[in-house]
């Protein structure tokens, strides 16, 4: 009997002991959990990257000159705030490539690369390249960003092309190229190249714009070269000049965002030949040519604008959209040339007409989109993603940034303070 009693007592104490241990364990565990909850700081959440961002830049007039600004944003603000942008200085040009803004300082002859923080969108300098030692100086047109390791800064009138690396910000090589074609008249030895494109076979295409003589009229004959295109092959460092005598001189190359076609309208400089020079035997001065994908002229395309409009002064071709050319001119009924060549620039701001010309049919309609939005005119800033065109306007209270929706349909996205104008707009990523 005692043995049985002893076993029952032992079992009872064993059970009580286990219960107490369990209670203590639970208490210790609970205290530990409380300590963890009170003393451990949770890990901070990583800031999220901005899914998509834009770079925009503009300039404002000051007594010292034009000051340039830029900023990155998920959406460009409807009214730019001067306190929310980065001032990049006087006499600066703004570019964008592969998610990075670039600025060219023409006084220092330096190209600066900027980084954009993908979470805060803050701008910071990540590299500076001096091109002065290579001979590049002053104003230069937008560089050709050929690839992540190759960009080209071009000064044909200085017989110079500099290839540099936009990633490492180092000079790759310098090309010394032949001089520009001889145009006969010493007063015409002044050129510029505008709106460069990379052709389908990897060459760089540039139009050469010839200026009219400084003085009239002399015995020298006017240039008979016609339109001149420069085609640079970066693989072998050679340049070729292609001429088309169907027009006197072309202006900037215009790309149709609908199908990518390239057009070459005549230069407004051609307006200063008549009536001051002997133009007999010269090709038409107001026309439109078309370029093939390899940079050669399309022999089957030619539009003489004087068959459609009576031009006294041709100001500018603004753009081509879906085969429609938008251009500004003064009609013969509204303008007479000044008697003196020295006064040729007078009365050129009055009675201007802007029209839409269907380059296939010749149909003519009035273009009023910029005026209806409160602007005197606009210039193409960029074609983003290969299809959407954006324009900077002038002649309004503040400069406007416009998105093109159709041939004569625009949406105002943003405006600058009074006197300003947009200089760059591009998708960063």
């Amino acid at each position: 009997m005692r043995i049985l009693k002893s076993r029952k007592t032992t079992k009872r104490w064993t059970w009580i002991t286990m219960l107490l241990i369990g209670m203590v364990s639970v208490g210790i565990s609970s205290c530990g959990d409380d300590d963890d909850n009170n003393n451990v700081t949770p890990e901070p959440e990583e800031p999220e990257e901005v899914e998509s961002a834009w770079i925009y830049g503009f300039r404002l007039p000051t007594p010292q000159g034009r000051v340039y600004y830029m900023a990155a944003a998920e959406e460009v603000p409807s009214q730019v705030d001067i306190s929310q942008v980065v001032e990049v200085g006087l006499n600066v040009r703004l570019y964008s490539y592969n998610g990075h803004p670039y600025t060219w300082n023409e006084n220092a002859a330096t190209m600066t690369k900027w980084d954009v923080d993908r979470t805060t969108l803050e701008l910071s300098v990540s590299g500076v390249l001096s091109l002065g030692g290579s001979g590049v100086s002053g104003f230069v047109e937008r560089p050709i960003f050929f690839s992540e390791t190759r960009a080209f800064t071009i000064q044909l009138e200085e017989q110079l092309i500099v290839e540099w690396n936009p990633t490492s910000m180092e000079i790759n090589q310098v090309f010394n190229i032949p001089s520009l074609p001889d145009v006969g008249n010493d007063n015409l030895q002044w050129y510029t190249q505008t709106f460069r494109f990379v052709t389908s076979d990897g060459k760089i295409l540039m139009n050469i714009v010839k200026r009219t003589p400084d003085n009239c009229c002399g015995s020298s004959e006017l240039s008979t070269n016609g339109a001149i295109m420069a085609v640079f092959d970066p693989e072998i460092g050679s340049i070729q000049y292609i001429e088309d005598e169907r027009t006197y001189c072309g202006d900037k190359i215009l790309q149709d965002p609908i199908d990518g076609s390239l057009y070459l309208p005549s230069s407004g400089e051609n307006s200063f030949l008549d009536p001051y020079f002997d133009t007999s035997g010269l090709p038409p001065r107001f026309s439109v040519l078309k370029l093939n994908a390899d940079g050669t002229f399309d022999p089957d395309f030619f539009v003489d604008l004087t068959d459609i409009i009576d031009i006294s002064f041709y100001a500018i071709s603004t753009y081509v959209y879906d085969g429609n050319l938008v251009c500004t001119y003064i009609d013969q009924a509204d303008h007479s040339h000044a008697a003196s060549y020295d006064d040729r620039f007078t009365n050129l701001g009055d009675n201007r007409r802007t029209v839409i010309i269907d380059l296939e049919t010749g149909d003519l309609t009035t273009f009023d989109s910029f005026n209806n939005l409160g602007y005197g005119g606009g210039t193409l800033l960029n074609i983003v993603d290969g299809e959407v065109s954006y324009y900077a306007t002038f002649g309004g209270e503040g400069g406007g940034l416009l998105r093109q929706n159709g041939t004569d349909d625009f949406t105002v996205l943003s405006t600058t303070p009074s006197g300003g104008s947009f200089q760059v707009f591009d998708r960063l990523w």
Side-chain angles (χ1 to χ4, degrees):
M1 294 291 298
R2 275 183 287 185
I3 293 175
L4 292 175
K5 186 177 181 180
S6 176
R7 288 178 178 173
K8 291 180 180 180
T9 303
T10 302
K11 287 181 180 179
R12 185 172 66 250
W13 282 108
T14 300
W15 182 83
I16 293 173
T17 301
M18 292 177 64
L19 180 62
L20 290 173
I21 292 173
M23 293 174 65
V24 173
S25 297
V26 171
I28 294 173
S29 176
S30 299
C31 291
D33 290 343
D34 291 340
D35 290 343
D36 289 342
N37 291 335
N38 293 330
N39 299 328
V40 175
T41 302
E43 290 291 331
E45 292 185 4
E46 289 289 332
E48 293 185 3
E49 291 188 353
V50 174
E51 183 175 343
S52 181
W54 299 84
I55 185 72
Y56 65 94
F58 58 95
R59 69 187 184 195
L60 294 175
T62 72
Q64 293 74 36
R66 292 166 172 167
V67 179
Y68 288 74
Y69 305 84
M70 66 178 180
E74 291 185 72
E75 296 291 342
V76 61
S78 59
Q79 170 69 51
V80 296
D81 185 345
I82 199 71
S83 67
Q84 301 298 316
V85 297
V86 175
E87 180 179 329
V88 292
L90 290 164
N91 301 320
V92 175
R93 296 294 180 267
L94 311 177
Y95 316 118
S96 173
Y97 172 70
N98 196 33
H100 295 276
Y102 292 82
T103 54
W104 168 252
N105 186 315
E106 60 184 53
N107 294 333
T110 55
M111 187 73 71
T112 300
K113 177 184 178 182
W114 298 73
D115 283 342
V116 180
D117 189 290
R118 285 180 172 259
T119 59
T120 65
L121 298 183
E122 292 182 353
L123 300 175
S124 60
V125 173
S126 62
V128 179
L129 172 64
S130 174
L131 296 178
S134 302
V136 177
S137 61
F139 170 76
V140 294
E141 297 286 351
R142 184 184 191 276
I144 283 287
F145 291 99
F146 199 79
S147 70
E148 292 184 4
T149 58
R150 305 180 76 186
F152 296 87
T153 293
I154 303 169
Q155 287 191 306
L156 294 185
E157 59 270 39
E158 302 297 333
Q159 300 175 244
L160 183 66
I161 297 178
V162 178
E163 178 185 329
W164 50 280
N165 188 320
T167 299
S168 65
M169 297 299 285
E170 298 173 322
I171 292 177
N172 293 339
Q173 56 184 324
V174 177
F175 299 95
N176 294 307
I177 59 175
S179 60
L180 289 155
D182 183 7
V183 295
N185 189 323
D186 289 341
N187 288 327
L188 282 172
Q189 301 295 334
W190 197 96
Y191 301 81
T192 185
Q193 64 280 343
T194 59
F195 278 64
R196 296 86 170 272
F197 292 89
V198 178
T199 65
S200 59
D201 55 355
K203 297 181 177 64
I204 297 174
L205 176 66
M206 301 160 281
N207 178 50
I208 307 301
V209 179
K210 301 172 291 186
R211 303 302 188 192
T212 49
D214 293 330
N215 303 302
C216 181
C217 297
S219 59
S220 298
E221 295 181 356
L222 294 171
S223 167
T224 58
N225 302 65
I228 305 175
M229 302 300 302
V231 183
F232 176 68
D233 187 338
E235 303 308 321
I236 59 177
S238 67
I239 194 164
Q240 177 186 12
Y241 295 103
I242 303 175
E243 300 177 358
D244 191 312
E245 297 179 356
R246 291 178 295 169
T247 193
Y248 179 75
C249 174
D251 197 10
K252 60 186 178 183
I253 304 168
L254 301 180
Q255 184 176 30
D256 189 332
I258 299 302
D259 63 6
S261 296
L262 300 178
Y263 295 89
L264 184 67
S266 293
S267 169
E269 292 286 326
N270 299 350
S271 298
F272 298 114
L273 301 182
D274 290 318
Y276 310 108
F277 295 87
D278 180 8
T279 59
S280 59
L282 292 183
R285 268 83 70 201
F286 310 115
S287 57
V288 183
L289 304 178
K290 192 175 184 180
L291 301 169
N292 295 316
D294 62 358
T296 59
F297 290 97
D298 182 347
D300 299 321
F301 184 94
F302 178 81
V303 176
D304 190 336
L305 295 177
T306 60
D307 292 337
I308 305 171
I309 49 181
D310 296 323
I311 303 172
S312 176
F313 171 77
Y314 190 79
I316 191 170
S317 296
T318 304
Y319 61 83
V320 175
Y321 189 95
D322 198 17
N324 296 291
L325 172 71
V326 173
C327 62
T328 301
Y329 74 104
I330 303 178
D331 194 274
Q332 292 180 4
D334 302 323
H335 177 258
S336 296
H337 291 282
S340 168
Y341 186 72
D342 293 337
D343 298 328
R344 62 191 182 278
F345 299 111
T346 59
N347 303 320
L348 296 181
D350 301 329
N351 301 317
R352 294 194 178 197
R353 305 183 185 187
T354 301
V355 294
I356 305 170
I357 299 175
D358 187 315
L359 294 175
E360 181 177 353
T361 66
D363 291 342
L364 183 71
T365 54
T366 300
F367 177 87
D368 292 318
S369 294
F370 291 151
N371 287 333
N372 291 340
L373 293 172
Y375 300 105
T379 57
L380 178 67
L381 273 183
N382 196 10
I383 300 178
V384 177
D385 300 329
E387 57 184 16
V388 183
S389 299
Y390 294 88
Y391 287 79
T393 66
F394 53 84
E397 182 176 346
L401 173 65
L402 274 56
R403 181 185 64 231
Q404 187 169 24
N405 308 311
T407 299
D408 58 351
D409 181 15
F410 294 83
T411 299
V412 179
L413 300 181
S414 183
T415 58
T416 70
S418 178
S421 64
F422 282 93
Q423 300 296 301
V424 66
F425 184 70
D426 197 7
R427 187 189 303 278
L428 289 168
W429 63 81

